[in-house]
Amino acid sequence: MREITYAEAIREALREEMARDERVFIMGESINYGLFGVTAGLRDEFGAERVRNAPISEASIVGAALGAALTGMRPVVEIMFADFLFCAMDSIANEAAKWRYMIAGQASASLVIRTPQGSGLGMGCHHSQSPEWVFAHFPGLKVVAPSTPYDAKGLLKASIRDDNPVIFFEHKMLYRMKGPVPDGEYIIPLGKADVKREGSDATIVATSLMVHRALEAAEELAKEGISAEVIDPRTLSPLDKDAILESVRKTGRLIIAEEACKTGGFGAEVAAMVAEEAIDALDAPIRRVAAFDVPIPFSPPLEDYVIPNKDRIAEAVRSVV
Amino acid sequence: MIIDVPEGVMLDLYEKMVATRLFDLKVKELIEKGHRILYHSGVGQEAIPAGVCAQLRREDYVVPYHRGWGYMIAKGMDMGRILAELLGKASGYCKGKAGTHMACLELGVLGKTGIVGAGLPVAVGAALSAKMRNSGQVVACFFGEGASNTGAFHEALNMAAVWRLPVIFVCENNLYDMYTPYLEVTSVANIADRASAYGMPGEVVDGQDVLAVYEAAKRAVSRARRGDGPSLLECKTYRWYGHFMADEHHYGGYRSIEEVEAWRARCPIRKLRDRAISKGIPAQELDRIEERVRAKVEEAERFALGSPEPDPRIAFEDVYA
Ligand SMILES: Cc1ncc(C[n+]2csc(CCOP(=O)(O)OP(=O)(O)O)c2C)c(N)n1
């Protein structure tokens, strides 16, 4: 199969969906090139109306996308860094998440917000956060966080066709990662996890960049005779609980790896869900591996220290098998 | 109108601008050698921080924006420690945690946010505090024309005007919001025109002419000190380099080569130099200033590169007071 980058896979999804459905348009700051180059070249193909440079006005970009969606368009907006979602917090959490519910389903907020998340570039605490779980807290929003080019393309196409507001978290350290992506169209349904590696001794649930760190950890553990299964939920909301529970029932152990801070995060939710639904299947305490509960510091050695790496994940697995 | 200032002021402005330029070029050089630094070059825009800050006292506040380090240099921060901070070293102004977002409260530099527009309300708050404490301090708040499209700009100007706060809003209009010509996303040709909507004076200034900036800032600062409230200065300027280091589209992409070259020919440092010489200041004296500054920049580099990395445990410090 051909190999393309994560960024190219996302661009392909945008291009195919814009060609398929003229209601789809994209909008964002300097989207003519795009900061990470994801949208580069699309303006030549689709014109400045549908590849629309927006002012630096995150609240209005998302609010306008909502208005366009309620009245028949299917906007896909880019927020340049996930950190800036907070500038649009009202438009997202109060408006997009709730409008359809409030008006009893008379119209849908069919919009997508694409945004790069994560640390690794030494950009300091305003450009390095992974706030995906914050958004999974709000009913009405869907939250997607792909870890591979294949998943990114299929999930973005599903997100664009979905009738709900979807926040699509792209990891900035994955944009250049290459992976197999078939020619032609395919869709990955939202809400379906993927087993990225099979194993029998422990389940590691990991998202986005942490999927790769978990896979590296699993590789290392395999040499020690420990067989770890790596599950990538791909969608945080709705969460594929069944896939997680099934794996935990098989392995009896659960480790959750995430890039965001530990307190009140994704790991806390998955741990609570498994404790509620399958505590009898557990042979050991659940372990969470997450960033320390501090803002992400600028200095590269400090940043590396705060974010989980393969060693921390492997150590958490060893501590329970 | 030809503006006249005493020779001492002229030489001081010259030194600050040269320091800002040479420091910026040193940072660029270090990045080219592989150091990881978040860099938004201010080369071409040196007249604005130098001219405005020359009207401030040590105890006055500055809220810089992301482009360049002229505010810090003009406010008297040490180039060695600025560079150490940019490199994430323990000897930097914020122990490496802030990087480019650094502050020095002792010299009134409040820190710069990575969120475009977010500094304006903070400047308003500092001005409110100065007024409530009756301290006589004023606040200079810098930002780009792109920031003037954020909600924060509009809310901050209204608040500052309605409370007659001692703040000077300094817009550095370098004609591009990242990869977007500002007129594609901004409804007015002059940002200064927006001042009238908030009931404050707005003035367009030639940002390549440090003496013009110096004089305009004098009017705004005196007004603020008298208790007559805020002003908006818009300085028309241009950045010679890309939006940030990796921006390869800035030369012959979204900006034509002719345009970039025409603005480079209008170098603010050259302009002041020519003016100084025409006033009878010997070229050798200006050269001596340059030599002195060059030596300081070299010394700053030695200090910063020779400084230790921070101890990872400081990541946990300062989260709570
Ligand atoms: C709220 C927010 N949105 C977007 C960005 C990304 N960004 C950083 S600088 C910039 C362009 C800013 O343009 P302007 O204010 O004119 O300043 P300039 O860089 O031109 O000096 C953008 C879009 C950001 N940092 N914060």
Side-chain angles (χ1 to χ4, degrees), chain A residues 29-30 56-58 80-81 84 87 127, chain B residues 40 45 65-67 114-117 143-148 150 172 174-178 239 243:
Chain A
E29 293 155 13
S30 290
I56 305 175
S57 313
E58 284 78 10
M80 202 176 281
F81 284 88
F84 312 158
C87 302
H127 290 77
Chain B
H40 293 92
Q45 303 187 191
Y65 88 125
H66 56 268
R67 196 158 296 292
I115 308 298
V116 166
F143 52 95
E145 78 291 344
S148 80
T150 65
E172 304 196 15
N174 59 18
L175 317 187
Y176 291 85
D177 302 359
M178 210 163 151
R239 54 170 160 81
H243 169 69

Side-chain angles (χ1 to χ4, degrees), chain B:
Chain B
M1 185 188 56
I2 300 265
I3 296 160
D4 223 352
V5 300
E7 194 176 305
V9 170
M10 213 178 254
L11 293 178
D12 189 50
L13 289 170
Y14 188 73
E15 176 161 352
K16 292 285 162 35
M17 285 166 71
V18 169
T20 302
R21 166 84 45 101
L22 295 180
F23 182 83
D24 197 305
L25 294 175
K26 176 58 74 184
V27 175
K28 185 164 184 281
E29 179 193 318
L30 288 171
I31 297 173
E32 279 157 1
K33 285 185 185 156
H35 292 277
R36 202 163 82 174
I37 300 178
L38 194 56
Y39 177 70
H40 293 92
S41 171
V43 168
Q45 303 187 191
E46 295 90 349
I48 302 160
V52 172
C53 293
Q55 295 293 354
L56 300 180
R57 302 174 184 155
R58 184 186 159 95
E59 65 273 17
D60 289 333
Y61 295 118
V62 168
V63 178
Y65 88 125
H66 56 268
R67 196 158 296 292
W69 298 275
Y71 327 90
M72 292 153 186
I73 291 169
K75 263 303 226 162
M77 285 170 69
D78 174 71
M79 287 195 283
R81 291 188 65 200
I82 299 175
L83 191 55
E85 185 61 38
L86 289 177
L87 286 161
K89 298 298 185 89
S91 57
Y93 274 99
C94 304
K95 306 177 196 166
K97 287 180 179 184
T100 187
H101 305 298
M102 78 189 84
C104 175
L105 270 287
E106 204 187 323
L107 293 169
V109 180
L110 293 181
K112 58 180 185 178
T113 166
I115 308 298
V116 166
L120 282 91
V122 174
V124 168
L128 173 63
S129 153
K131 184 170 175 165
M132 292 177 82
R133 290 181 289 110
N134 218 345
S135 69
Q137 292 160 293
V138 303
V139 184
C141 176
F142 296 85
F143 52 95
E145 78 291 344
S148 80
N149 291 326
T150 65
F153 167 91
H154 297 276
E155 297 180 22
L157 263 68
N158 179 61
M159 192 179 266
V162 81
W163 290 339
R164 289 172 85 86
L165 300 178
V167 53
I168 300 122
F169 296 104
V170 185
C171 177
E172 304 196 15
N173 185 351
N174 59 18
L175 317 187
Y176 291 85
D177 302 359
M178 210 163 151
Y179 308 154
T180 309
Y182 83 104
L183 288 174
E184 193 181 327
V185 288
T186 304
S187 59
V188 288
N190 294 321
I191 306 304
D193 295 348
R194 290 183 162 163
S196 68
Y198 301 102
M200 70 175 77
E203 189 179 344
V204 178
V205 186
D206 177 0
Q208 304 311 97
D209 180 351
V210 69
L211 300 185
V213 175
Y214 179 78
E215 287 299 314
K218 183 177 189 172
R219 287 188 286 278
V221 169
S222 330
R223 181 181 149 84
R225 279 211 216 283
R226 279 199 309 273
D228 289 345
S231 321
L232 173 61
L233 299 187
E234 176 190 11
C235 306
K236 304 277 193 192
T237 186
Y238 204 76
R239 54 170 160 81
W240 287 15
Y241 298 120
H243 169 69
F244 68 139
M245 202 64 187
D247 171 4
E248 72 236 358
H249 315 293
H250 81 96
Y251 194 64
Y254 62 88
R255 310 195 301 185
S256 72
I257 290 171
E258 296 72 30
E259 180 184 288
V260 178
E261 293 305 326
W263 275 92
R264 285 179 72 135
R266 300 190 51 215
C267 170
I269 297 178
R270 168 62 63 81
K271 189 177 168 92
L272 180 64
R273 189 183 168 93
D274 290 349
R275 175 118 175 82
I277 289 170
S278 78
K279 287 277 294 175
I281 297 177
Q284 296 87 311
E285 191 164 348
L286 299 165
D287 293 342
R288 268 199 300 278
I289 290 176
E290 263 184 66
E291 281 320 304
R292 194 164 70 224
V293 170
R294 206 174 287 281
K296 278 193 198 163
V297 171
E298 297 303 320
E299 171 53 35
E301 180 185 16
R302 271 194 300 279
F303 170 79
L305 291 179
S307 293
E309 302 285 1
D311 177 338
R313 280 168 305 188
I314 72 148
F316 296 108
E317 291 173 10
D318 309 312
V319 179
Y320 295 101

Side-chain angles (χ1 to χ4, degrees), chain A residues 111-269:
Chain A
L111 63 98
V112 178
I113 302 171
R114 295 179 35 245
T115 190
Q117 70 173 109
S119 60
L121 291 177
M123 297 187 80
C125 68
H126 289 160
H127 290 77
S128 310
Q129 297 171 85
S130 293
E132 60 277 11
W133 190 253
V134 172
F135 298 91
H137 176 76
F138 296 108
L141 298 177
K142 292 190 177 180
V143 177
V144 181
S147 66
T148 65
Y150 176 82
D151 288 353
K153 180 170 176 186
L155 288 166
L156 183 54
K157 288 172 71 83
S159 300
I160 294 171
R161 296 184 197 187
D162 197 285
D163 284 331
N164 298 283
V166 178
I167 312 195
F168 192 88
F169 285 92
E170 301 165 5
H171 201 291
K172 54 177 85 82
M173 299 307 280
L174 293 177
Y175 278 132
R176 292 188 184 167
M177 192 189 101
K178 279 196 164 185
V181 174
D183 280 315
E185 145 153 339
Y186 65 96
I187 301 274
I188 298 175
L190 303 187
K192 272 210 76 59
D194 187 36
V195 179
K196 290 282 191 267
R197 177 189 175 112
E198 304 239 11
S200 52
D201 296 331
T203 299
I204 309 175
V205 175
T207 62
S208 192
L209 181 67
M210 289 300 135
V211 172
H212 300 282
R213 303 226 166 135
L215 288 169
E216 287 167 31
E219 197 69 27
E220 193 170 295
L221 291 162
K223 290 182 204 136
E224 302 163 22
I226 299 170
S227 161
E229 176 147 300
V230 178
I231 305 246
D232 175 2
R234 300 194 289 200
T235 309
L236 304 189
S237 176
L239 183 65
D240 189 347
K241 296 180 183 175
D242 292 342
I244 296 169
L245 291 169
E246 192 186 319
S247 176
V248 171
R249 291 208 169 95
K250 178 171 80 172
T251 64
R253 294 177 180 86
L254 174 63
I255 294 90
I256 306 133
E258 65 179 314
E259 188 170 336
C261 298
K262 189 171 187 176
T263 300
F266 169 69
E269 173 60 30

